[in-house]
Amino acid sequence: MRKFYQTEWQNIAFSSFHAASSKTLAGADFYDAFYRTLFEKYPDYEALDPDWRRNKDEIADWLVTLLPDGARVLSVGCGLGYMEQRIWRHHGDRIELHVQDYASHALKWLRQVLPGDRIHDANGQSEGAQYDLIFLSAVDYALRDVELISLLAELRGSLRSDGSLLMISASLLEESAGQQFLGSIKEVAKWFLD
């Protein structure tokens, strides 16, 4: 994956709560501190940047168009779960959505929306669970290549025989904006899912 560096997100400077390093990837302590800071600053999803939310809404709505009714879906590394709450609120009657994240504080808002049996900790989903689609959105920046390869190989075992694994790269997030971004995602996914 292409490396990129970020010093803030959602108008929260990382230096305001954590010492920065250009030599190591952020770990669990960084993400826990970040999400605590984010939840102190913002009361809910609607307070987040409207352009960011609009892009995420488009991706979430498009993603659901790929799925048949009754599809079982797992989002891995969902963070604060904005796209997932969108999918649940607008399409939860059509698909069975499950989420997983590694930062325990990240899921605070999502826990208010999604049933508890659909939220899984870092150890993964229930034993033997099989999914029609597993997707990861912008998690590649937080993992070394070897860790990402290992994660994808592990997730493959949770796919049904005709299931799909889709990774939306953080590299696309940095290079694109608005419709360009969604267009890039659709082209990559079309190639990958065909």
Side-chain angles (χ1 to χ4, degrees), residues 50-60 177-179 181-182:
D51 291 332
W52 178 84
R53 286 186 290 126
R54 198 170 13 264
N55 283 337
K56 293 289 190 175
D57 288 343
E58 289 181 37
I59 296 166
Q179 290 301 317
F181 171 67
L182 187 57

Side-chain angles (χ1 to χ4, degrees), residues 59 81 106 125 138 143 156 159 189 194:
I59 296 166
Q125 57 283 353
L143 299 169
R156 187 174 184 196
L159 284 174
D194 282 345

Side-chain angles (χ1 to χ4, degrees), residues 147-168:
E147 294 168 327
L148 183 58
I149 291 166
S150 176
L151 174 61
L152 295 175
E154 179 184 323
L155 291 173
R156 187 174 184 196
S158 295
L159 284 174
R160 292 187 171 144
S161 60
D162 59 345
S164 298
L165 184 96
L166 175 65
M167 185 176 73
I168 302 169

Side-chain angles (χ1 to χ4, degrees), residues 1 74-77 100 102 125 130-131 133-141 143-160 163-170 188 191-192:
M1 293 294 148
L74 175 64
S75 172
V76 175
Q100 173 186 341
Y102 298 89
Q125 57 283 353
Q130 297 286 290
Y131 297 93
L133 174 70
I134 298 175
F135 74 95
L136 303 89
S137 179
V139 299
D140 53 318
Y141 73 92
L143 299 169
R144 290 178 187 79
D145 288 351
V146 68
E147 294 168 327
L148 183 58
I149 291 166
S150 176
L151 174 61
L152 295 175
E154 179 184 323
L155 291 173
R156 187 174 184 196
S158 295
L159 284 174
R160 292 187 171 144
S164 298
L165 184 96
L166 175 65
M167 185 176 73
I168 302 169
S169 175
V188 170
W191 169 81
F192 186 76

Side-chain angles (χ1 to χ4, degrees), residues 71-133:
R72 193 159 198 247
V73 178
L74 175 64
S75 172
V76 175
C78 66
L80 59 95
Y82 182 81
M83 286 192 341
E84 293 74 10
Q85 66 83 30
R86 171 78 178 197
I87 291 170
W88 177 256
R89 287 183 172 164
H90 295 272
H91 309 286
D93 59 334
R94 283 194 48 234
I95 65 168
E96 182 184 329
L97 176 66
H98 292 257
V99 300
Q100 173 186 341
D101 199 80
Y102 298 89
S104 59
H105 288 76
L107 301 168
K108 178 181 176 181
W109 291 336
L110 194 55
R111 283 189 181 99
Q112 298 170 19
V113 179
L114 199 62
D117 65 339
R118 303 288 181 91
I119 298 174
H120 308 286
D121 65 16
N123 295 323
Q125 57 283 353
S126 57
E127 188 69 30
Q130 297 286 290
Y131 297 93
D132 298 292
L133 174 70

